[in-house]
Amino acid sequence: MSGDRPVRIGAQLQPQHASYADLRRAVAQLEEIGVDVVFNWDHFYPLYGEPDGAHFECWTMLAAWAEATERVEIGALVTCNSYRNPQLLADMARTVDHISARDGGAGRLILGIGSGWFERDYDEYGFEFGTAGGRLDALERDLPLIEERWAKLNPAPTRDIPVLIGGGGEKKTLRIVARHADIWHGFGDPETVARKHAVLDEWCARLGRDPGEIERSAGVSPKPGRLPEDVEDYAAGAQDLYDVGTRLFTVGLNGPDYDPGPLRDLVAWRDGMRG
C-alpha cells in the first residue's frame, strides 16, 4: 500500500454558491496555509443547497488556478469522463499542466477522473446518462486513449501526469484503478477504506501491478468531540484513516465562505507526522 509515502493534505473547493472572486481568494489562502493539493469538482449545478444556485465549470477554472498559484498541485475531484472526448480531455490536461509549470519545472496538474453519476448534469447538458456499468465501461475504454494522446502531443506534458481515479466499486472500478491510476480516492469510515485497500491490492496482484505504486486518498470527516462544547477533530479523523494506509487527506469546503479552519488543523497534523 502507501507505505512510507509522505502525508499530504488536500482541499476540495466546491465551486457552488460563491462568486469566482470567492474561489480565487480561497485557493490563494489555501496555498498560503500550506495545503498540498487543491481540487474542485466537475459538475454543472450545485450538489446540495439551492439546486439552481451559483456554480462554475471545472476545467476553465483549473486553467485559471494554474496561473493564480505557484506551488500547490491542482485537479478535479473528479472529472466526469462522459463530458468530454478523451482525446480533447488529454489535450486540455496537457495544456493546464504546462500553464501550471514554473521556471522550467514540472507542471502541477493531477487528472482526477471518474465515470460520472449526477443525472441532472447529463439531462440538462444533453449527455447520454446510460447505466452505471456502461459509464464504467466507457471510462475503461477511454483511459488508454488519454494515455496514447499524451504520448503524441507536441509539446509533451511536462511530467507523467498523475491519474487519480475516484470510486469504490470492487468489481470494476478498483480493477480500473489497479490498471491505470497513480492515486485512488475513496470515501467511508476506516473499516470501509481498509477493505477497499485490500480489494485494490488483490486486483494489483492479479494484473501484475505493484500496489505500492498507487497512493491511497480519502475524504476526511471529523471525529465529534466527546462533550457538546468540544470542536470536531479533523486530525483525529485523518489519523484513523492514516492507520489503514491513507496518505492523501482531503476536506471539502463549500462556498461562499470556504472556511479554512479544518485545513489549518490538518496541515499542523501533517507537519507533526513528518517530524
Side-chain angles (χ1 to χ4, degrees), residues 56-68:
F56 290 99
E57 193 276 330
C58 169
W59 275 90
T60 45
M61 183 181 298
L62 288 176
W65 286 2
E67 285 285 9

Side-chain angles (χ1 to χ4, degrees), residues 50-214:
E50 169 53 47
D52 292 313
H55 197 280
F56 290 99
E57 193 276 330
C58 169
W59 275 90
T60 45
M61 183 181 298
L62 288 176
W65 286 2
E67 285 285 9
T69 58
E70 296 291 328
R71 178 192 56 79
V72 292
E73 289 189 277
I74 57 174
L77 191 62
V78 290
T79 296
C80 177
N81 181 61
S82 307
Y83 299 160
R84 298 163 192 86
N85 173 285
Q87 312 280 352
L88 172 62
L89 179 59
D91 204 338
M92 292 167 61
R94 181 279 310 254
T95 300
V96 174
D97 168 68
H98 276 264
I99 295 170
S100 68
R102 295 290 181 270
D103 300 323
R108 295 175 285 119
L109 178 77
I110 295 170
L111 177 60
I113 194 165
S115 60
W117 62 273
F118 189 41
E119 191 167 3
R120 185 184 182 191
D121 284 348
Y122 288 79
D123 292 344
E124 295 268 8
Y125 277 63
F127 298 105
E128 181 180 353
F129 188 59
T131 66
R135 294 192 299 276
L136 279 168
D137 290 342
L139 177 64
E140 187 168 25
R141 176 198 68 209
D142 290 345
L143 280 165
L145 299 178
I146 292 169
E147 295 161 1
E148 290 167 9
R149 179 55 54 186
W150 280 338
K152 297 176 182 177
L153 288 169
N154 182 16
T158 68
R159 64 173 181 169
D160 291 335
I161 296 174
V163 173
L164 177 155
I165 296 177
E170 297 181 7
K171 293 181 179 179
K172 281 190 174 183
T173 302
L174 293 181
R175 172 170 51 81
I176 297 169
V177 170
R179 191 176 298 279
H180 294 284
D182 302 288
I183 307 167
W184 171 70
H185 183 85
F187 294 93
D189 59 33
E191 293 75 18
T192 299
V193 170
R195 187 181 74 251
K196 303 293 185 183
H197 286 176
V199 173
L200 178 54
D201 291 347
E202 291 172 6
W203 276 117
C204 287
R206 293 186 196 183
L207 297 173
R209 178 94 186 270
D210 177 359
E213 295 177 357
I214 302 173

Side-chain angles (χ1 to χ4, degrees), residues 30-68:
L30 290 169
E31 181 165 62
E32 183 179 357
I33 287 169
V35 304
D36 299 290
V37 188
V38 182
F39 297 105
N40 60 8
W41 67 30
D42 190 20
H43 295 289
F44 306 129
Y45 294 92
L47 296 188
Y48 53 90
E50 169 53 47
D52 292 313
H55 197 280
F56 290 99
E57 193 276 330
C58 169
W59 275 90
T60 45
M61 183 181 298
L62 288 176
W65 286 2
E67 285 285 9

